[in-house]
Amino acid sequence: MQNFKALVLTKEEEQVHSHIKTLTLDDLPQGDVLIKVHYSGINYKDSLASIPNGNIVKAYPFVPGIDLAGTVVTSDNPRFKSGDEVIATSYEIGVSHYGGYSEYARIPADWIVPLPDGLTLKEAMIIGTAGFTAALSVKKLIDSGLKPQDGPVLVTGATGGVGSFAVSILSTLGYEVAASSGKSSSATYLTNLGATTLLTREDVYNGKVKALAKGKWAAAVDSVGGETLASVLSQLQYGGSVAASGLTAGTAVPTTVFPFILRGVNLLGIDSVYCPMSLRNETWRLLATTFKPYQLEDFIQKEISLNDVPNHLPTLLEGKAQGRILIKL
C-alpha cells in the first residue's frame, strides 16, 4: 500500500501530542471516496483538537483537520470518479473521522461537495469552513429579508475567519459594513475587505448588557457569542436579525425577551456542520459566483506545509488569527 504523511494526535497522561507520521491507506477509516488532499486549513475546532480539554476529538490516535479540498483517487459511489475535484467539510471530519491534515483522506460520499465552477482547490480552502459559515450567515440574513438599503450590518470578531469573510461578502453585495475587532492594528486589513466603519469590541459591548439600547444596526453576523451577542441583540434596529455561529466569548447569552417582543428582533442560528446537502451545494455555488470575494489571496495570513502545522495550531486559541492559515499538502 502507498505510504503517505499525516499529522497524528496522541494523548498521554492528559497531554495531547502532535507528530508527523507515515501512514498507509489501510490506516484510513471507512468511506466511499479516497481523496488526494491538496489543501486544508486551521480552524478554531482544529486548535481545540490540539489541547487536552478541547472536547473535540473523540478517540486517539487521530488525524485532525475539519476541512479539505483535493482530487478523487478512487470512488465506490457513482456520483464521483477518479480525477474529480472536490471539497469535504463538516459532519464528523476532524472530530471522529480522520480529517484533512493528511496527504490522503477517505471520506463518505454523502459528506463531499463537487468543486463548483468558478473556484480552484486552493480558493476553496482559502474560503474553507470559516468562509462557508460566513456565507451561510449572509444567505440566511438575506433570506430573512435583509436589503442593502436597510442600513449598516455589524460583523463581530471581524478579523477572524468567519468575520473576515462576512465583511467581504457583505461588501461585495453592496451592504454597508460595521466591523468590530479587538485588534487595533487591523484597520487597513478590514478596510481593504470592504468595511465602511471600524469599531472596537467596547463599541459593541462595554461590559454591561442593557435590556434595550439604541438601535444601531439593521442586522449582524456574530461569531463571538456570550455577552457580546446579548449586547448586539439589544442594539439591533426594529425587525433586525443576527446570524450567530460562534462562542469564543462564551456559551451563555444573558439577554432578555425585550429585543424579541418589543423590536421583533430575530436570532438566527447558523450550523455549518450538519446543514442539508442541498443548502451546502447552493452555498458553495454562491461562493463561486456572487458571494466570491474579489481578492481571495488577501485572506491568507500564512501558507504553511504539513510539517509546520503543530507550531500554528495554537494560533486561534491565542487570538492571533487574522484571516486564514492555509495548509498546502
Side-chain angles (χ1 to χ4, degrees), residues 72-276:
V72 172
V73 179
T74 60
S75 173
D76 296 327
N77 187 292
R79 291 193 296 115
F80 299 101
K81 65 182 185 303
S82 177
D84 284 351
E85 294 182 317
V86 295
I87 305 165
T89 71
S90 313
Y91 301 99
E92 296 301 312
I93 299 171
V95 177
S96 63
H97 189 98
Y98 280 17
Y101 296 175
S102 174
E103 293 177 336
Y104 287 87
R106 188 179 284 123
I107 306 292
D110 289 343
W111 299 355
I112 298 173
V113 173
L115 183 74
D117 293 339
L119 285 180
T120 66
L121 291 173
K122 181 176 182 178
E123 289 175 332
M125 275 303 101
I126 295 174
I127 293 170
T129 298
F132 176 69
T133 304
L136 282 175
S137 301
V138 174
K139 183 180 185 305
K140 198 156 190 176
L141 290 174
I142 293 172
D143 290 346
S144 297
L146 181 66
K147 300 178 291 296
Q149 59 266 33
D150 291 339
V153 179
L154 172 69
V155 176
T156 64
T159 57
V162 174
S164 294
F165 276 98
V167 170
S168 181
I169 293 169
L170 287 163
S171 176
T172 298
L173 296 174
Y175 289 87
E176 179 185 349
V177 183
S180 167
S181 170
K183 298 183 179 69
S184 58
S185 61
S186 63
T188 301
Y189 172 75
L190 292 172
T191 300
N192 289 342
L193 292 182
T196 50
T197 304
L198 303 180
L199 304 173
T200 66
R201 288 173 181 165
E202 292 73 26
D203 291 329
V204 177
Y205 170 57
N206 63 7
K208 182 178 180 180
V209 178
K210 296 181 180 179
L212 276 180
K214 180 181 178 181
K216 297 179 181 178
W217 305 295
V221 174
D222 176 66
S223 59
V224 176
E227 288 87 354
T228 297
L229 175 54
S231 188
V232 170
L233 287 166
S234 74
Q235 297 178 80
L236 289 179
Q237 297 171 6
Y238 190 92
S241 300
V242 54
S245 64
L247 45 70
T248 56
T251 58
V253 183
T255 188
T256 70
V257 299
F258 293 125
F260 308 106
I261 66 174
L262 296 182
R263 285 193 184 155
V265 162
N266 305 291
L267 177 55
L268 309 175
I270 304 301
D271 168 43
S272 63
V273 179
Y274 296 111
C275 73

